[in-house]
């Protein structure tokens, strides 16, 4: 699945109420930024393991046959979405020596990281943003990972709004900053309280639940898709 992915949406419990093993813990006792660091490292090491496997033999072949290095690497890692242009850009950025057989383990790891960034761009969905302490964790994450787009989210609120829309209680467009109650008399006190909380604490603070924003950013900013509407 990871090989086929064009973008990774990393859903992180930004409240810190779930530990590294996915087990519920007391809110604030786990640092959710560890999850971001962990996934980043794991994928880098995965790329490195593929690149490093049989590297000496590969490097000698490229050198002996006088192949263009970026083309050889592009072909070797094509299954990960790497192409010749990406490989060439990374080689130039890292200023690697022309003699491929002299490349070190550290340099191979740097190549793996750079290629991972290009082929598996990542966005972080900072979920449970409404839980106590989550906002502070979100702000820390933004500072520590400036290269990532990190969007505050409340998936629970989005689910509640979509369900209320489905049963005809409200009018709501995913990604919107508000919703319209169709008939307040049909709402129970509990539903009124829940909707008021979502409007005030989520939509009023962050402009949306964040869920649609994540999808939109992936489609239009990372994948750079363009919407085309066929004419009638």
């Amino acid at each position: 699945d990871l090989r086929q992915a064009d973008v990774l949406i990393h859903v992180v419990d930004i409240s810190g109420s779930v530990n590294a093993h996915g087990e519920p813990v007391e809110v604030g006792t786990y640092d959710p930024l560890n999850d971001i660091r962990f996934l980043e490292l794991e994928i880098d090491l995965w790329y490195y393991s593929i690149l490093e496997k049989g590297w000496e033999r590969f490097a000698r072949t490229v050198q002996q046959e006088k192949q263009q290095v970026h083309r050889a690497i592009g072909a070797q890692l094509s299954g990960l979405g790497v192409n010749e242009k990406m490989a060439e850009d990374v080689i130039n950025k890292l200023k690697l020596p022309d003699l491929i057989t002299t490349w070190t383990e550290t340099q191979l790891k740097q190549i793996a990281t750079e290629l991972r960034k290009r082929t598996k761009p990542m966005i972080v969905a900072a979920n449970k943003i409404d839980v106590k302490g989550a906002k502070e964790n979100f702000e820390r994450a933004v500072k520590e990972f400036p290269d990532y787009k990190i969007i505050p989210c409340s998936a629970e609120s989005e689910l509640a709004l979509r369900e209320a829309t489905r049963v005809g209680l409200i009018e709501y467009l995913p990604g919107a900053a508000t919703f319209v109650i169709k008939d307040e008399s049909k709402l129970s006190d509990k539903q009124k309280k829940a909707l008021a909380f979502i409007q005030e604490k989520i939509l009023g603070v962050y402009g949306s639940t964040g869920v649609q924003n994540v999808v939109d950013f992936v489609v239009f900013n990372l994948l750079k898709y363009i919407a085309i509407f066929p004419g009638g």
Side-chain angles (χ1 to χ4, degrees), residues 105-123:
E105 177 181 329
T106 298
Q107 289 171 323
L108 290 183
K109 288 182 177 178
Q110 291 174 333
I111 294 172
T113 297
E114 289 297 327
L115 290 177
R116 184 266 303 169
K117 289 179 180 179
R118 286 166 169 75
T119 56
K120 307 292 180 197
M122 190 186 305
I123 181 172

Side-chain angles (χ1 to χ4, degrees), residues 14 124-127 129 138 150-154 206 208-211 213-214:
I14 204 67
V124 177
N127 196 31
I129 192 63
F138 167 73
I150 305 177
I151 296 180
C153 296
S154 175
Y206 300 102
S208 77
T209 66
V211 175
N213 301 59
V214 170

Side-chain angles (χ1 to χ4, degrees), residues 1-8 118-122 222-223 225:
D1 291 338
L2 193 55
R3 284 180 184 273
Q4 297 173 22
D6 294 317
V7 175
L8 302 180
R118 286 166 169 75
T119 56
K120 307 292 180 197
M122 190 186 305
L222 295 182
L223 295 177
Y225 284 176

Side-chain angles (χ1 to χ4, degrees), residues 37-196:
R37 302 183 192 105
F38 171 78
L39 186 60
E40 199 177 46
L41 177 61
E42 281 293 295
I43 300 177
D44 283 352
L45 291 176
W46 178 51
Y47 268 53
Y48 169 71
S49 69
I50 295 173
L51 185 64
E52 186 268 344
K53 187 177 181 180
W55 174 259
E56 291 185 7
R57 183 177 180 182
F58 169 77
R60 286 198 304 270
T61 300
V62 170
Q63 196 70 40
Q64 291 169 359
E65 297 180 0
K66 297 182 179 180
Q67 300 177 30
Q68 289 186 299
V69 177
H70 66 279
R71 287 187 175 179
I73 292 178
Q76 184 192 28
L77 301 179
S78 60
L80 296 174
V82 176
N83 57 41
E84 295 177 10
K85 181 66 168 59
M86 288 180 190
E88 185 175 22
D89 289 345
V90 168
I91 290 170
N92 291 335
K93 178 181 179 178
L94 298 177
K95 298 179 180 179
L96 298 174
D98 293 333
L99 199 62
I100 187 175
T101 52
T102 65
W103 292 2
T104 65
E105 177 181 329
T106 298
Q107 289 171 323
L108 290 183
K109 288 182 177 178
Q110 291 174 333
I111 294 172
T113 297
E114 289 297 327
L115 290 177
R116 184 266 303 169
K117 289 179 180 179
R118 286 166 169 75
T119 56
K120 307 292 180 197
M122 190 186 305
I123 181 172
V124 177
N127 196 31
K128 298 186 182 179
I129 192 63
D130 54 304
V131 177
K132 183 180 179 181
K135 185 178 180 181
E136 291 75 15
N137 287 336
F138 167 73
E139 292 171 350
R140 286 197 302 116
V142 170
K143 288 181 181 179
E144 183 167 331
F145 302 98
D147 294 337
Y148 284 144
K149 179 68 173 179
I150 305 177
I151 296 180
C153 296
S154 175
E156 187 175 31
S157 297
E158 179 69 18
L159 181 62
L161 292 176
R162 294 202 182 201
E163 180 61 18
T165 301
R166 186 185 68 82
V167 298
L169 296 177
I170 66 172
E171 290 181 0
Y172 167 68
L173 182 66
T178 188
F179 54 85
V180 176
I181 296 176
K182 287 186 174 183
D183 186 351
E184 193 165 341
S185 66
K186 293 183 179 180
L187 297 174
S188 66
D189 290 341
K190 184 178 180 180
Q191 289 172 323
K192 290 178 183 178
K193 186 176 181 180
L195 289 173

